[in-house]
Amino acid sequence: MSRRSGILEFAVLGLLRESPMHGYELRKRLNTSLGVFRAFSYGTLYPCLKTLVANGWLIEEPGNTTEDALAAPLSGRRAKIVYRLTAEGKEHFEELLSQTGPDAYEDEHFAARFAFFGQTSRDVRMRVLEGRRSRLEERLEKMRASLVRTRERLDDYTLELQRHGMESVEREVRWLNELIESERAGRDMKSPASGGSAQQNTINGASGNLPRSGETRPDLPDDTAT
């Protein structure tokens, strides 16, 4: 399994742990709630879903809303499929949540992990946050050393771009320091009283400085089969 497909499977399992969803709803949630997936090809979502079903972590059910029930006779097309997490899928997701290896600190994987911190134990959150901070501090040290070596050979615009990159990393390190201090003090991040799930509020609010893998959001065509 590639790293990217592993992140996608993790996010799908996490979203379906909240509630069963149509494939189209999953696509929208991945795109709007978890910004890390904005650059993903949505042609990879359905093979991912099929793999999770084959592994016994999801089951497919026919849609049971009035709209879904009318879809077939009115349009001649299949009703939408609803994907539901199985007990084995929930157990597998909880196992993934407990992992704190190096992959959890990488840009895309960390953003996905952070989106589900509300379902993650405090000790695991601490290890992931501290690992991410350590990774960024190493990156920042290399960036500073590179700037010192190459400063005289770079034009002003390239230098400014490198400074901008360093400032972005420094901001995230400060943000991580604040989160780690909050965790040590025993304070949980609470979602607002209204307006979406914990994952949505977290990724759209506190994690606004997280690296994202792209800003162009593809159009989401209507989907009646999944």
Side-chain angles (χ1 to χ4, degrees):
M1 180 192 303
S2 70
R3 177 178 294 176
R4 278 202 161 194
S5 64
I7 298 170
L8 182 58
E9 290 186 5
F10 172 83
V12 167
L13 292 172
L15 289 174
L16 291 177
R17 190 184 186 189
E18 291 182 354
S19 65
M21 297 184 199
H22 299 304
Y24 180 62
E25 185 179 1
L26 267 171
R27 289 164 63 178
K28 289 194 296 183
R29 290 290 303 278
L30 288 166
N31 181 263
T32 60
S33 302
L34 306 181
V36 65
F37 293 104
R38 287 181 179 174
F40 266 64
S41 166
Y42 286 97
T44 65
L45 175 58
Y46 298 108
C48 171
L49 290 169
K50 295 300 182 185
T51 297
L52 295 176
V53 170
N55 288 339
W57 297 330
L58 301 181
I59 58 173
E60 296 177 329
E61 300 176 339
N64 56 9
T65 65
T66 302
E67 179 184 353
D68 292 333
L70 293 174
L74 291 179
S75 66
R77 293 178 294 183
R78 290 188 301 155
K80 292 181 180 180
I81 294 173
V82 172
Y83 294 90
R84 182 185 299 274
L85 197 65
T86 64
E88 292 81 4
K90 181 179 180 181
E91 182 179 350
H92 179 63
F93 179 68
E94 290 173 349
E95 179 183 343
L96 294 176
L97 276 180
S98 69
Q99 295 178 2
T100 59
D103 281 352
Y105 316 148
E106 299 300 333
D107 293 348
E108 291 177 344
H109 206 157
F110 174 74
R113 287 296 302 269
F114 188 85
F116 296 99
F117 261 23
Q119 303 180 42
T120 307
S121 64
R122 188 184 301 276
D123 62 319
V124 171
R125 292 198 303 261
M126 280 292 294
R127 289 199 293 271
V128 173
L129 289 171
E130 290 175 339
R132 174 66 175 175
R133 181 177 62 180
S134 177
R135 179 64 51 85
L136 289 182
E137 287 173 341
E138 292 174 2
R139 184 183 301 175
L140 192 57
E141 183 177 349
K142 292 178 181 178
M143 294 172 73
R144 287 170 175 161
S146 175
L147 185 60
V148 169
R149 291 195 307 268
T150 61
R151 180 187 300 272
E152 295 181 356
R153 301 196 301 271
L154 301 177
D155 60 46
D156 291 343
Y157 294 102
T158 305
L159 281 171
E160 191 60 30
L161 183 62
Q162 291 201 5
R163 291 192 189 100
H164 175 69
M166 289 173 56
E167 289 171 359
S168 297
V169 176
E170 288 169 347
R171 281 196 300 272
E172 189 176 343
V173 169
R174 289 195 296 270
W175 175 68
L176 288 166
N177 286 336
E178 293 172 0
L179 289 174
I180 290 170
E181 180 60 30
S182 293
E183 292 288 346
R184 286 175 176 165
R187 298 191 297 269
D188 287 316
M189 292 179 62
K190 302 298 183 182
S191 61
S194 63
S197 67
Q199 281 92 332
Q200 286 176 294
N201 292 319
T202 298
I203 204 69
N204 290 330
S207 61
N209 290 329
L210 285 177
R212 296 191 175 188
S213 58
E215 292 302 326
T216 301
R217 300 198 300 178
D219 293 335
L220 299 177
D222 189 20
D223 179 7
T224 58
T226 47

